[in-house]
Amino acid sequence: MKKIFFFKRLQKFFLLMFVPMLLLCVVFSLNTAYQISRELRNESRQTTANVDTNLGQVITGAVEQNKIMSVNVRMSMAFRHALVDGDILYSDILYINSLRLALYSTVNSYDYLESSYIYMFGGNRVISSGNGLENLASVKDKGWLEICNSMDPSEDSCIKPRVYAKDELYEHRMLTLCQRLFLHDGCIILNINADKLQDMMDRLRMNEKEEVFIVDKDGNILCASHNSTKRLEEIAFSYFSENGQETDGWKNINGTRVQVTSLYRENPACYVVSVLPISVFWDRMAQQLFRWIFVFAALAVIIVIIAYYVTSRSFSNIHMIMDMFDQAEQGGAVEPRTASPKDEYDVILNNIVGMFINNSYLQLQLEERQLKQENAELMALQLQINPHFLYNTLQTLDMEVQKSEHNEPVNLIIRSVSNILKYALSDPGQLVPLKEELNYLKDYARIQEYRFGDFIIYYEIDPEILDAGVFRLMLQPVVENSLIHGIRNLDRKGYVKVWIQRRGDCLEIRVADNGHGINREKLEVIRTKLDKNEGSSIGLINLNRRLILRYGQDSRIKLRSKENVCTVVFFSIPFVRYH
């Protein structure tokens, strides 16, 4: 019988818990797929941006050199003398060497930049990054010359691939970038080592399976990462069709699902493209699916345990009911039982136990009320005794410390704490003379100086107002705020000034410090919180509330501060003499 009920409950719990969890898994999987797709897209964008940035730095160097020659008229004339006219003045050599150093600096800054030249069409000389001014005939690598001469007149720049054969045993792939000069009929040429550019592209990839390539505006691949496959040509042909650039995203290229992300560079006209296979997406999705498989396995175990527990408990309740019937028939005491809500045994248990609980319920209520009253009296007695006990204990410690030698600081601190407790235990609603409030503040400052060390607090107070009536603990929260938030951990000497003067019928109070100060945005936030009497600065908030309740809105706290200079807290209260 127990086994039958167990399987029925197991089936019920699976429907109640497993099906919603399955639906949640589907929703979560869809959301995860979207997040992973967006994450991969962001990574591809980062890769293309990194490659474009590195390539752009080289191009920017060529543009800057072009601008220098355009702005400096003397350099432009020297440049023309050297490359076209043939007659070189002595003063031109300085400008030519300057150009050569600029080219050399650019080439030396990037390991994938092979060489750089400045050439004017029809000239028989060039300025190179390696040898400076030299005859065009003596230049070993002239492969760039054909690309430079074949530039369309409407183009400002171009980039073309080529192969440079240094000798029979050595050749490597090059990318030649030609930038047309601003003021002259010529070009700045940058020769990029394609193999080293590949290494750079490999380093900048965000994913090891990511394929990165640079393609010109006609769809010709200029350079690709080392892990590139033959499908790159198909992607380039499909992606950059005659109708223009397609949108980025997941594409089907000859039956292969890939994510394509591109970044267009206008000068020279080319694209940096990132290609991610669909396998990267499924690898990351598999990690999430494994987690869900683990969750489902754990949930299945939990469901089995719950079904077994509920079934066992039900049969245990049946045995308990039978025992309760036996005890009731024999006239014995029945122990109170509380069944679970909507439990099938609620009615039976309540009927059996009800007669016994009704007899003892009033007695239990009476005992509980008496216990609460005793606890309340005990708490009130503790609240009355504990502060006085602490005060008396500190007085005793003070007397004992005075009997010892070389304990003046400890004696002073204990005495200050005793005075503070005595002052705080008095009636908070009763006014005290300003002199007594200042004595309390000095005891508090003495303790803080012992705790936090090097700072000075000084007072500027008219002696004629020392008998003014103020409420207790009016100055301490403001000074505490200056010490904790103003001059604590300050890298210079900290000062706190307490200034109190009478102005007509009002008593003006200011507390200033030379601490960290508060920036404008944070100061506005604090002022708003003070106006609303809310925030984490409990001391100032409570003081502001007490001032408003006792004296009205005109006595509320005001703040002025300048970051890393000072902070001033000020308010005013009506002047009354203490009687």
Side-chain angles (χ1 to χ4, degrees), residues 373-411:
Q373 183 177 357
E374 292 175 357
N375 288 337
E377 292 176 354
L378 179 60
M379 185 178 297
L381 184 60
Q382 289 176 341
L383 292 175
Q384 182 178 0
I385 292 176
N386 288 343
H388 292 284
F389 176 74
L390 179 59
Y391 170 75
N392 293 333
T393 302
L394 289 173
Q395 291 290 341
T396 303
L397 288 174
D398 182 39
M399 295 176 62
E400 291 297 323
V401 169
Q402 290 182 13
K403 296 178 183 179
S404 304
E405 297 179 358
H406 308 296
N407 286 311
E408 291 80 0
V410 178
N411 176 264

mmCIF file of all heavy atoms in Angstrom, residues 373-411:
data_model
loop_
_atom_site.group_PDB
_atom_site.id
_atom_site.type_symbol
_atom_site.label_atom_id
_atom_site.label_comp_id
_atom_site.label_asym_id
_atom_site.label_seq_id
_atom_site.Cartn_x
_atom_site.Cartn_y
_atom_site.Cartn_z
ATOM 1 N N GLN A 373 5.089 39.970 30.972
ATOM 2 C CA GLN A 373 5.143 41.085 31.928
ATOM 3 C C GLN A 373 6.437 41.040 32.728
ATOM 4 O O GLN A 373 7.077 42.061 32.965
ATOM 5 C CB GLN A 373 3.922 41.022 32.848
ATOM 6 C CG GLN A 373 3.856 42.186 33.837
ATOM 7 C CD GLN A 373 2.591 42.126 34.688
ATOM 8 O OE1 GLN A 373 1.765 41.253 34.489
ATOM 9 N NE2 GLN A 373 2.459 43.050 35.610
ATOM 10 N N GLU A 374 6.833 39.841 33.155
ATOM 11 C CA GLU A 374 8.086 39.717 33.903
ATOM 12 C C GLU A 374 9.279 40.113 33.039
ATOM 13 O O GLU A 374 10.206 40.781 33.529
ATOM 14 C CB GLU A 374 8.235 38.278 34.399
ATOM 15 C CG GLU A 374 7.228 37.895 35.472
ATOM 16 C CD GLU A 374 7.332 36.420 35.858
ATOM 17 O OE1 GLU A 374 8.145 35.715 35.232
ATOM 18 O OE2 GLU A 374 6.614 35.999 36.771
ATOM 19 N N ASN A 375 9.271 39.727 31.773
ATOM 20 C CA ASN A 375 10.371 40.101 30.876
ATOM 21 C C ASN A 375 10.434 41.609 30.658
ATOM 22 O O ASN A 375 11.520 42.205 30.602
ATOM 23 C CB ASN A 375 10.209 39.401 29.521
ATOM 24 C CG ASN A 375 10.502 37.915 29.608
ATOM 25 O OD1 ASN A 375 11.214 37.467 30.509
ATOM 26 N ND2 ASN A 375 9.944 37.141 28.682
ATOM 27 N N ALA A 376 9.251 42.236 30.511
ATOM 28 C CA ALA A 376 9.226 43.683 30.321
ATOM 29 C C ALA A 376 9.768 44.412 31.541
ATOM 30 O O ALA A 376 10.526 45.385 31.419
ATOM 31 C CB ALA A 376 7.808 44.137 30.009
ATOM 32 N N GLU A 377 9.370 43.957 32.742
ATOM 33 C CA GLU A 377 9.877 44.585 33.958
ATOM 34 C C GLU A 377 11.382 44.398 34.093
ATOM 35 O O GLU A 377 12.107 45.308 34.490
ATOM 36 C CB GLU A 377 9.147 43.989 35.165
ATOM 37 C CG GLU A 377 7.660 44.359 35.239
ATOM 38 C CD GLU A 377 6.965 43.664 36.391
ATOM 39 O OE1 GLU A 377 7.608 42.822 37.034
ATOM 40 O OE2 GLU A 377 5.786 43.978 36.644
ATOM 41 N N LEU A 378 11.853 43.205 33.734
ATOM 42 C CA LEU A 378 13.277 42.947 33.817
ATOM 43 C C LEU A 378 14.050 43.830 32.838
ATOM 44 O O LEU A 378 15.106 44.374 33.169
ATOM 45 C CB LEU A 378 13.546 41.466 33.521
ATOM 46 C CG LEU A 378 15.024 41.024 33.539
ATOM 47 C CD1 LEU A 378 15.642 41.285 34.909
ATOM 48 C CD2 LEU A 378 15.151 39.559 33.181
ATOM 49 N N MET A 379 13.520 44.004 31.613
ATOM 50 C CA MET A 379 14.185 44.842 30.617
ATOM 51 C C MET A 379 14.226 46.294 31.060
ATOM 52 O O MET A 379 15.239 46.985 30.903
ATOM 53 C CB MET A 379 13.474 44.715 29.273
ATOM 54 C CG MET A 379 14.161 45.463 28.134
ATOM 55 S SD MET A 379 13.318 45.227 26.567
ATOM 56 C CE MET A 379 13.531 43.463 26.377
ATOM 57 N N ALA A 380 13.104 46.773 31.607
ATOM 58 C CA ALA A 380 13.066 48.153 32.092
ATOM 59 C C ALA A 380 14.083 48.353 33.213
ATOM 60 O O ALA A 380 14.759 49.379 33.294
ATOM 61 C CB ALA A 380 11.662 48.495 32.574
ATOM 62 N N LEU A 381 14.190 47.347 34.096
ATOM 63 C CA LEU A 381 15.147 47.441 35.188
ATOM 64 C C LEU A 381 16.573 47.465 34.648
ATOM 65 O O LEU A 381 17.426 48.224 35.115
ATOM 66 C CB LEU A 381 14.947 46.248 36.145
ATOM 67 C CG LEU A 381 15.830 46.251 37.407
ATOM 68 C CD1 LEU A 381 15.560 47.492 38.249
ATOM 69 C CD2 LEU A 381 15.590 44.986 38.226
ATOM 70 N N GLN A 382 16.842 46.645 33.615
ATOM 71 C CA GLN A 382 18.173 46.624 33.023
ATOM 72 C C GLN A 382 18.503 47.960 32.364
ATOM 73 O O GLN A 382 19.609 48.468 32.501
ATOM 74 C CB GLN A 382 18.273 45.500 31.998
ATOM 75 C CG GLN A 382 18.295 44.115 32.620
ATOM 76 C CD GLN A 382 18.297 43.023 31.570
ATOM 77 O OE1 GLN A 382 17.945 43.280 30.435
ATOM 78 N NE2 GLN A 382 18.688 41.821 31.959
ATOM 79 N N LEU A 383 17.528 48.538 31.610
ATOM 80 C CA LEU A 383 17.752 49.820 30.962
ATOM 81 C C LEU A 383 18.018 50.925 31.974
ATOM 82 O O LEU A 383 18.704 51.890 31.693
ATOM 83 C CB LEU A 383 16.549 50.189 30.086
ATOM 84 C CG LEU A 383 16.345 49.316 28.850
ATOM 85 C CD1 LEU A 383 15.061 49.705 28.145
ATOM 86 C CD2 LEU A 383 17.532 49.445 27.912
ATOM 87 N N GLN A 384 17.435 50.758 33.174
ATOM 88 C CA GLN A 384 17.634 51.771 34.213
ATOM 89 C C GLN A 384 18.973 51.585 34.901
ATOM 90 O O GLN A 384 19.638 52.546 35.260
ATOM 91 C CB GLN A 384 16.496 51.682 35.236
ATOM 92 C CG GLN A 384 16.583 52.737 36.334
ATOM 93 C CD GLN A 384 15.411 52.635 37.298
ATOM 94 O OE1 GLN A 384 14.548 51.789 37.138
ATOM 95 N NE2 GLN A 384 15.381 53.500 38.290
ATOM 96 N N ILE A 385 19.373 50.318 35.060
ATOM 97 C CA ILE A 385 20.562 50.056 35.865
ATOM 98 C C ILE A 385 21.840 50.133 35.040
ATOM 99 O O ILE A 385 22.835 50.708 35.461
ATOM 100 C CB ILE A 385 20.451 48.667 36.542
ATOM 101 C CG1 ILE A 385 19.342 48.695 37.596
ATOM 102 C CG2 ILE A 385 21.766 48.271 37.190
ATOM 103 C CD1 ILE A 385 19.093 47.334 38.239
ATOM 104 N N ASN A 386 21.840 49.582 33.804
ATOM 105 C CA ASN A 386 23.084 49.395 33.070
ATOM 106 C C ASN A 386 23.875 50.677 32.831
ATOM 107 O O ASN A 386 25.081 50.707 33.082
ATOM 108 C CB ASN A 386 22.807 48.695 31.738
ATOM 109 C CG ASN A 386 22.456 47.232 31.965
ATOM 110 O OD1 ASN A 386 22.719 46.695 33.026
ATOM 111 N ND2 ASN A 386 21.870 46.608 30.965
ATOM 112 N N PRO A 387 23.273 51.798 32.340
ATOM 113 C CA PRO A 387 24.074 53.009 32.150
ATOM 114 C C PRO A 387 24.671 53.540 33.448
ATOM 115 O O PRO A 387 25.832 53.944 33.485
ATOM 116 C CB PRO A 387 23.075 53.998 31.540
ATOM 117 C CG PRO A 387 22.019 53.143 30.928
ATOM 118 C CD PRO A 387 21.905 51.971 31.844
ATOM 119 N N HIS A 388 23.856 53.528 34.533
ATOM 120 C CA HIS A 388 24.385 54.000 35.821
ATOM 121 C C HIS A 388 25.476 53.071 36.328
ATOM 122 O O HIS A 388 26.468 53.517 36.914
ATOM 123 C CB HIS A 388 23.240 54.096 36.841
ATOM 124 C CG HIS A 388 22.262 55.183 36.510
ATOM 125 N ND1 HIS A 388 22.528 56.521 36.720
ATOM 126 C CD2 HIS A 388 21.021 55.130 35.956
ATOM 127 C CE1 HIS A 388 21.490 57.251 36.341
ATOM 128 N NE2 HIS A 388 20.557 56.425 35.866
ATOM 129 N N PHE A 389 25.287 51.777 36.086
ATOM 130 C CA PHE A 389 26.311 50.822 36.520
ATOM 131 C C PHE A 389 27.621 51.083 35.766
ATOM 132 O O PHE A 389 28.706 51.067 36.353
ATOM 133 C CB PHE A 389 25.821 49.398 36.264
ATOM 134 C CG PHE A 389 26.851 48.348 36.585
ATOM 135 C CD1 PHE A 389 27.162 48.012 37.883
ATOM 136 C CD2 PHE A 389 27.525 47.708 35.548
ATOM 137 C CE1 PHE A 389 28.115 47.051 38.147
ATOM 138 C CE2 PHE A 389 28.482 46.753 35.811
ATOM 139 C CZ PHE A 389 28.774 46.414 37.120
ATOM 140 N N LEU A 390 27.526 51.364 34.440
ATOM 141 C CA LEU A 390 28.716 51.663 33.654
ATOM 142 C C LEU A 390 29.370 52.946 34.145
ATOM 143 O O LEU A 390 30.596 53.040 34.270
ATOM 144 C CB LEU A 390 28.331 51.786 32.180
ATOM 145 C CG LEU A 390 29.467 52.114 31.221
ATOM 146 C CD1 LEU A 390 30.559 51.062 31.280
ATOM 147 C CD2 LEU A 390 28.920 52.218 29.795
ATOM 148 N N TYR A 391 28.549 53.960 34.436
ATOM 149 C CA TYR A 391 29.091 55.225 34.941
ATOM 150 C C TYR A 391 29.820 55.009 36.256
ATOM 151 O O TYR A 391 30.950 55.480 36.452
ATOM 152 C CB TYR A 391 27.942 56.226 35.096
ATOM 153 C CG TYR A 391 28.325 57.487 35.831
ATOM 154 C CD1 TYR A 391 29.083 58.465 35.203
ATOM 155 C CD2 TYR A 391 27.922 57.697 37.157
ATOM 156 C CE1 TYR A 391 29.439 59.622 35.871
ATOM 157 C CE2 TYR A 391 28.279 58.857 37.806
ATOM 158 C CZ TYR A 391 29.034 59.820 37.191
ATOM 159 O OH TYR A 391 29.386 60.950 37.837
ATOM 160 N N ASN A 392 29.187 54.293 37.203
ATOM 161 C CA ASN A 392 29.820 54.054 38.505
ATOM 162 C C ASN A 392 31.089 53.226 38.351
ATOM 163 O O ASN A 392 32.083 53.448 39.061
ATOM 164 C CB ASN A 392 28.837 53.333 39.427
ATOM 165 C CG ASN A 392 27.655 54.225 39.793
ATOM 166 O OD1 ASN A 392 27.779 55.453 39.809
ATOM 167 N ND2 ASN A 392 26.490 53.634 40.048
ATOM 168 N N THR A 393 31.068 52.268 37.419
ATOM 169 C CA THR A 393 32.259 51.449 37.200
ATOM 170 C C THR A 393 33.409 52.296 36.680
ATOM 171 O O THR A 393 34.557 52.146 37.114
ATOM 172 C CB THR A 393 31.951 50.326 36.195
ATOM 173 O OG1 THR A 393 30.881 49.530 36.697
ATOM 174 C CG2 THR A 393 33.180 49.431 35.986
ATOM 175 N N LEU A 394 33.130 53.215 35.734
ATOM 176 C CA LEU A 394 34.174 54.096 35.229
ATOM 177 C C LEU A 394 34.726 54.994 36.335
ATOM 178 O O LEU A 394 35.931 55.272 36.382
ATOM 179 C CB LEU A 394 33.621 54.944 34.085
ATOM 180 C CG LEU A 394 33.335 54.190 32.779
ATOM 181 C CD1 LEU A 394 32.635 55.105 31.793
ATOM 182 C CD2 LEU A 394 34.633 53.668 32.187
ATOM 183 N N GLN A 395 33.849 55.456 37.236
ATOM 184 C CA GLN A 395 34.330 56.264 38.364
ATOM 185 C C GLN A 395 35.278 55.455 39.238
ATOM 186 O O GLN A 395 36.308 55.955 39.701
ATOM 187 C CB GLN A 395 33.119 56.758 39.175
ATOM 188 C CG GLN A 395 32.266 57.791 38.457
ATOM 189 C CD GLN A 395 32.979 59.123 38.319
ATOM 190 O OE1 GLN A 395 33.926 59.401 39.022
ATOM 191 N NE2 GLN A 395 32.524 59.945 37.386
ATOM 192 N N THR A 396 34.933 54.202 39.471
ATOM 193 C CA THR A 396 35.792 53.334 40.291
ATOM 194 C C THR A 396 37.137 53.119 39.604
ATOM 195 O O THR A 396 38.198 53.175 40.244
ATOM 196 C CB THR A 396 35.100 51.984 40.526
ATOM 197 O OG1 THR A 396 33.831 52.216 41.133
ATOM 198 C CG2 THR A 396 35.944 51.107 41.425
ATOM 199 N N LEU A 397 37.108 52.856 38.267
ATOM 200 C CA LEU A 397 38.356 52.675 37.524
ATOM 201 C C LEU A 397 39.203 53.940 37.579
ATOM 202 O O LEU A 397 40.433 53.878 37.680
ATOM 203 C CB LEU A 397 38.049 52.321 36.079
ATOM 204 C CG LEU A 397 37.486 50.916 35.835
ATOM 205 C CD1 LEU A 397 37.096 50.765 34.373
ATOM 206 C CD2 LEU A 397 38.520 49.858 36.216
ATOM 207 N N ASP A 398 38.550 55.106 37.515
ATOM 208 C CA ASP A 398 39.278 56.365 37.571
ATOM 209 C C ASP A 398 40.019 56.501 38.903
ATOM 210 O O ASP A 398 41.183 56.921 38.946
ATOM 211 C CB ASP A 398 38.297 57.510 37.357
ATOM 212 C CG ASP A 398 39.001 58.856 37.352
ATOM 213 O OD1 ASP A 398 40.104 58.950 36.795
ATOM 214 O OD2 ASP A 398 38.444 59.812 37.914
ATOM 215 N N MET A 399 39.353 56.123 39.985
ATOM 216 C CA MET A 399 39.995 56.211 41.304
ATOM 217 C C MET A 399 41.171 55.241 41.403
ATOM 218 O O MET A 399 42.220 55.571 41.969
ATOM 219 C CB MET A 399 38.957 55.917 42.399
ATOM 220 C CG MET A 399 37.829 56.963 42.485
ATOM 221 S SD MET A 399 36.561 56.530 43.694
ATOM 222 C CE MET A 399 37.541 56.515 45.204
ATOM 223 N N GLU A 400 41.015 54.056 40.804
ATOM 224 C CA GLU A 400 42.095 53.075 40.867
ATOM 225 C C GLU A 400 43.279 53.517 40.013
ATOM 226 O O GLU A 400 44.438 53.323 40.397
ATOM 227 C CB GLU A 400 41.593 51.713 40.398
ATOM 228 C CG GLU A 400 40.605 51.048 41.349
ATOM 229 C CD GLU A 400 41.221 50.746 42.716
ATOM 230 O OE1 GLU A 400 42.414 50.366 42.765
ATOM 231 O OE2 GLU A 400 40.545 50.937 43.739
ATOM 232 N N VAL A 401 43.005 54.122 38.850
ATOM 233 C CA VAL A 401 44.093 54.562 37.984
ATOM 234 C C VAL A 401 44.852 55.698 38.635
ATOM 235 O O VAL A 401 46.076 55.817 38.493
ATOM 236 C CB VAL A 401 43.518 54.985 36.614
ATOM 237 C CG1 VAL A 401 44.569 55.698 35.774
ATOM 238 C CG2 VAL A 401 43.003 53.770 35.866
ATOM 239 N N GLN A 402 44.155 56.576 39.386
ATOM 240 C CA GLN A 402 44.822 57.690 40.052
ATOM 241 C C GLN A 402 45.834 57.204 41.085
ATOM 242 O O GLN A 402 46.803 57.893 41.395
ATOM 243 C CB GLN A 402 43.786 58.590 40.727
ATOM 244 C CG GLN A 402 42.929 59.387 39.753
ATOM 245 C CD GLN A 402 41.953 60.306 40.464
ATOM 246 O OE1 GLN A 402 42.067 60.528 41.672
ATOM 247 N NE2 GLN A 402 41.005 60.823 39.714
ATOM 248 N N LYS A 403 45.625 56.001 41.615
ATOM 249 C CA LYS A 403 46.572 55.466 42.604
ATOM 250 C C LYS A 403 47.880 55.028 41.947
ATOM 251 O O LYS A 403 48.883 54.870 42.634
ATOM 252 C CB LYS A 403 45.931 54.270 43.308
ATOM 253 C CG LYS A 403 44.689 54.641 44.119
ATOM 254 C CD LYS A 403 44.084 53.396 44.740
ATOM 255 C CE LYS A 403 42.795 53.732 45.498
ATOM 256 N NZ LYS A 403 42.182 52.517 46.102
ATOM 257 N N SER A 404 47.853 54.788 40.612
ATOM 258 C CA SER A 404 49.045 54.326 39.915
ATOM 259 C C SER A 404 49.787 55.516 39.318
ATOM 260 O O SER A 404 49.237 56.590 39.143
ATOM 261 C CB SER A 404 48.666 53.337 38.811
ATOM 262 O OG SER A 404 47.922 52.270 39.350
ATOM 263 N N GLU A 405 51.043 55.278 39.002
ATOM 264 C CA GLU A 405 51.861 56.311 38.393
ATOM 265 C C GLU A 405 51.850 56.179 36.873
ATOM 266 O O GLU A 405 51.659 55.104 36.323
ATOM 267 C CB GLU A 405 53.303 56.216 38.896
ATOM 268 C CG GLU A 405 53.432 56.457 40.395
ATOM 269 C CD GLU A 405 54.873 56.342 40.865
ATOM 270 O OE1 GLU A 405 55.739 56.031 40.020
ATOM 271 O OE2 GLU A 405 55.117 56.567 42.034
ATOM 272 N N HIS A 406 52.102 57.319 36.192
ATOM 273 C CA HIS A 406 52.243 57.371 34.727
ATOM 274 C C HIS A 406 50.999 56.863 34.015
ATOM 275 O O HIS A 406 51.073 56.177 33.019
ATOM 276 C CB HIS A 406 53.464 56.561 34.282
ATOM 277 C CG HIS A 406 54.722 56.927 35.002
ATOM 278 N ND1 HIS A 406 55.307 58.177 34.898
ATOM 279 C CD2 HIS A 406 55.479 56.186 35.860
ATOM 280 C CE1 HIS A 406 56.398 58.184 35.652
ATOM 281 N NE2 HIS A 406 56.518 57.007 36.250
ATOM 282 N N ASN A 407 49.824 57.171 34.532
ATOM 283 C CA ASN A 407 48.579 56.779 33.871
ATOM 284 C C ASN A 407 47.694 57.993 33.609
ATOM 285 O O ASN A 407 46.481 57.884 33.585
ATOM 286 C CB ASN A 407 47.814 55.751 34.702
ATOM 287 C CG ASN A 407 48.445 54.371 34.643
ATOM 288 O OD1 ASN A 407 48.752 53.882 33.571
ATOM 289 N ND2 ASN A 407 48.673 53.782 35.804
ATOM 290 N N GLU A 408 48.341 59.184 33.452
ATOM 291 C CA GLU A 408 47.547 60.380 33.259
ATOM 292 C C GLU A 408 46.639 60.295 32.028
ATOM 293 O O GLU A 408 45.458 60.673 32.109
ATOM 294 C CB GLU A 408 48.467 61.608 33.156
ATOM 295 C CG GLU A 408 49.160 61.983 34.457
ATOM 296 C CD GLU A 408 50.390 61.117 34.731
ATOM 297 O OE1 GLU A 408 50.669 60.244 33.891
ATOM 298 O OE2 GLU A 408 51.038 61.290 35.767
ATOM 299 N N PRO A 409 47.146 59.804 30.835
ATOM 300 C CA PRO A 409 46.231 59.739 29.674
ATOM 301 C C PRO A 409 45.046 58.828 29.901
ATOM 302 O O PRO A 409 43.915 59.168 29.565
ATOM 303 C CB PRO A 409 47.138 59.213 28.555
ATOM 304 C CG PRO A 409 48.513 59.566 28.966
ATOM 305 C CD PRO A 409 48.518 59.451 30.464
ATOM 306 N N VAL A 410 45.302 57.663 30.508
ATOM 307 C CA VAL A 410 44.198 56.733 30.759
ATOM 308 C C VAL A 410 43.219 57.329 31.744
ATOM 309 O O VAL A 410 41.993 57.245 31.582
ATOM 310 C CB VAL A 410 44.744 55.384 31.279
ATOM 311 C CG1 VAL A 410 43.589 54.437 31.589
ATOM 312 C CG2 VAL A 410 45.683 54.772 30.275
ATOM 313 N N ASN A 411 43.748 57.970 32.780
ATOM 314 C CA ASN A 411 42.889 58.608 33.774
ATOM 315 C C ASN A 411 42.044 59.707 33.132
ATOM 316 O O ASN A 411 40.854 59.819 33.408
ATOM 317 C CB ASN A 411 43.762 59.201 34.892
ATOM 318 C CG ASN A 411 42.940 59.963 35.923
ATOM 319 O OD1 ASN A 411 42.825 61.169 35.841
ATOM 320 N ND2 ASN A 411 42.349 59.237 36.865
#
